[in-house]
Amino acid sequence: MVEKRFAVLLCAEDSEYVKKKYGGYYGVFVKMLGEEGEKWDVYRVARGEFPDDDEIGGYSGFVITGSCSDAHADDLWICRLIDLLKKLDIMKKKVLGICFGHQVLGRALGGKTGRAGSGWDIGFRTVHLSSSSSSNIFSTLKLPARLSIIECHRDEVRELPPKAEIIGWSERTGIEMFKYGDHMMGIQGHPEYTTDILLHLIDRLLLMDLIIESFAEEVRAKVQECEADREAWRRLCVAFLKGGL
């Protein structure tokens, strides 16, 4: 049996806390998506580490992570990532984009990204799943019409790529999820996050002066009262990435 290979395109720097407790964000994704008989690699693309062209074909799928960077920026590594995603589209490789990954995937496919008019969205959000999806991906998995997810973003996909389909929305964000063909999908929220990771990230954003103390306190209080549908999101992501949808 041929071993299936997947790659995490890491767009963020791991904090010492996440490294120690979870093995970095790479470890977080492998714990959620990895299964026996698979090989998972990591490319730290934010540091300029990319797979060679002759390596790409050996992978069954790719996951693009979140980031503190802006998907609409023109940093060299972001431009290189966009070029890679265009190649993966041509090759019809499975690609799952999360948060920043969702946004940069939308940009690579011809959509538009930018700051969300409503500002930061941090905490739990209810995502409404599309009942008119041409692929009926949600009914196949017998998922409920709404799923709770952890959000942490101030940018969004403002305009859908041509030929892409919105498959999830919330009261805060119009494009929470999109699907492009059968091989690319973006999720604005963080199906991989635990409440612990979110609380740690709130502390980091506060230290970086990206949010203010009063907002951080408000979010922390609300976070303790909610729970994400992590198992449903895991099933959805695994089914998409590994050909079950």
Side-chain angles (χ1 to χ4, degrees):
M1 184 176 177
V2 179
E3 182 183 58
K4 278 197 171 185
R5 295 179 65 201
F6 297 90
V8 174
L9 304 177
L10 189 62
C11 304
E13 292 295 330
D14 292 322
S15 68
E16 288 303 316
Y17 178 80
V18 172
K19 276 185 193 173
K20 185 175 180 180
K21 186 163 184 179
Y22 300 97
Y25 287 111
Y26 162 75
V28 173
F29 275 103
V30 173
K31 183 177 180 181
M32 179 178 79
L33 302 172
E35 296 176 299
E36 191 175 347
E38 298 172 350
K39 186 177 189 302
W40 283 77
D41 298 323
V42 59
Y43 293 94
R44 301 180 185 279
V45 295
R47 295 184 187 175
E49 298 174 10
F50 284 81
D52 294 330
D53 285 350
D54 59 359
E55 293 179 301
I56 296 172
Y59 288 102
S60 298
F62 297 80
V63 178
I64 324 163
T65 74
S67 176
C68 285
S69 299
D70 296 326
H72 52 272
D74 291 320
D75 302 42
L76 178 58
W77 73 269
I78 293 176
C79 293
R80 285 186 67 189
L81 178 57
I82 288 170
D83 287 341
L84 171 60
L85 296 176
K86 289 178 178 178
K87 290 177 186 174
L88 297 179
D89 175 32
I90 292 170
M91 297 171 73
K92 296 292 187 286
K93 288 290 182 181
K94 284 289 183 99
V95 178
L96 174 65
I98 303 297
C99 197
F100 168 91
H102 160 84
Q103 297 158 14
V104 79
L105 181 61
R107 177 182 175 186
L109 295 172
K112 293 182 180 178
T113 65
R115 287 279 189 265
S118 53
W120 279 101
D121 187 8
I122 304 177
F124 291 83
R125 184 71 50 194
T126 298
V127 176
H128 300 258
L129 307 181
S130 173
S131 59
S132 60
S133 172
S134 59
S135 54
N136 292 316
I137 60 173
F138 305 125
S139 59
T140 301
L141 291 172
K142 297 181 179 178
L143 295 177
R146 295 181 294 277
L147 290 176
S148 175
I149 197 168
I150 291 175
E151 303 268 5
C152 188
H153 66 101
R154 61 174 173 176
D155 295 340
E156 65 182 5
V157 176
R158 289 181 168 179
E159 188 176 307
L160 207 62
K163 300 180 182 178
E165 175 186 15
I166 296 175
I167 58 173
W169 60 274
S170 71
E171 293 178 1
R172 187 71 172 263
T173 303
I175 307 175
E176 283 280 2
M177 299 174 67
F178 74 86
K179 198 157 180 275
Y180 182 86
D182 291 325
H183 60 294
M184 294 188 159
M185 183 167 76
I187 301 175
Q188 178 57 73
H190 285 276
E192 81 284 9
Y193 273 12
T194 61
T195 301
D196 176 65
I197 291 176
L198 177 60
L199 289 169
H200 169 68
L201 191 53
I202 291 168
D203 292 340
R204 286 186 71 191
L205 293 174
L206 191 59
L207 286 172
M208 295 165 70
D209 289 325
L210 291 175
I211 58 175
I212 60 175
E213 179 66 47
S214 59
F215 179 60
E217 288 179 2
E218 179 186 339
V219 173
R220 286 192 198 106
K222 289 180 179 177
V223 161
Q224 306 291 353
E225 303 168 1
C226 304
E227 190 173 336
D229 294 308
R230 296 187 68 230
E231 176 57 21
W233 286 109
R234 185 197 68 79
R235 287 173 51 224
L236 173 60
C237 291
V238 167
F240 166 75
L241 197 61
K242 302 177 185 182
L245 297 179

